[in-house]
Amino acid sequence: MNQRTAPRSIDQYLAALREALAGEDPALVQDALYDAEEYLRAEVAAHPDRLEADTLELIASTYGAPDEVAAAYRTTEKQLQTALAPPPRREAQGALGRFFAVYVDSRTWTALFYLLLSLVTGIFYFTMVVTGFSLSAGLLVLIIGIPFFLLFVGFTRVLSLAEGRLVEGLLGQRMPRRPLYPERGVPILTRIRNMLVDRRTWTTMFYFLLMLPLGILYFTVAVTGIAVSLGLVFASLVGLLGETGVITIDELTWHFPPTLLLPLLLAIGLLLLTAVMHLVRGIGRMHGALAKNLLVARDGAD
């Protein structure tokens, strides 16, 4: 980058970096902007005797120009995604093979774990937001009302980062690994205004409120679907084994369907269980997209 087009301030550098990363994953953009701003501000603070423009000119030759940094992040992201991708598996042959291949997809089981966990996280998120809103509204008449509200909003953003790590780790959706860089040298009233007009403040809280009904739905679908499916499978197996004399059931009265129907019920149970696992994996993908839309700043700029 030549002298004429070199950024003369941190804001110009970040704007150029954001432009160079246009079209990339918003989570990647947010991470890159955070890393760059943290480094730039540290370098400027370490050389108080220099003009900011002079420091940035030196940084461009060491840390890299915005387009060079953007290219480095793209390369690193591809390498990281390759390293974190599930182990490759042999492509299933035929429609039936692809249907049952859901059991060897690691994302199916991690999505199932997330759906079961979402009941707990949903209750916690919902309680936290409702309590935070209630206390913030009640304390507004006191001097601690505004600081408490800022603390509450800050906590929701930290919590959204933690939820993002869960979503990325269990559902495979790329989420930010860095928070948005905190504003520096901004008056308190301006910070409050920026928080109130920031789309992500409200979408994050909406996501946390939404997690309670979604968590109940996810948990119910997963547990009910798996329980009914396994019930059909094991009941059919017990009935077949009992009819063939492999096992003997004494002292209890068992009412099984006719013997000819037991293999059919076993097949229905297996097909239903497989369909439930497909549904679980699909819900995981849809929830990952929902989390990304509500928790990630658009273009890393919001």
Side-chain angles (χ1 to χ4, degrees), residues 65-84:
D67 54 344
E68 296 171 339
V69 173
Y73 266 92
R74 289 191 183 94
T75 301
T76 303
E77 182 70 11
K78 290 179 181 178
Q79 295 173 345
L80 187 59
Q81 291 300 322
T82 301
L84 295 178

Side-chain angles (χ1 to χ4, degrees), residues 227-273:
V228 171
S229 304
L230 292 180
L232 288 173
V233 170
F234 285 115
S236 302
L237 288 175
V238 170
L240 288 172
L241 294 176
E243 290 292 336
T244 56
V246 176
I247 61 174
T248 303
I249 303 175
D250 297 323
E251 299 180 359
L252 293 175
T253 302
W254 296 79
H255 298 282
F256 290 106
T259 305
L260 293 178
L261 290 180
L262 291 177
L264 177 61
L265 291 179
L266 176 61
I268 291 175
L270 290 174
L271 291 175
L272 180 59
L273 179 61

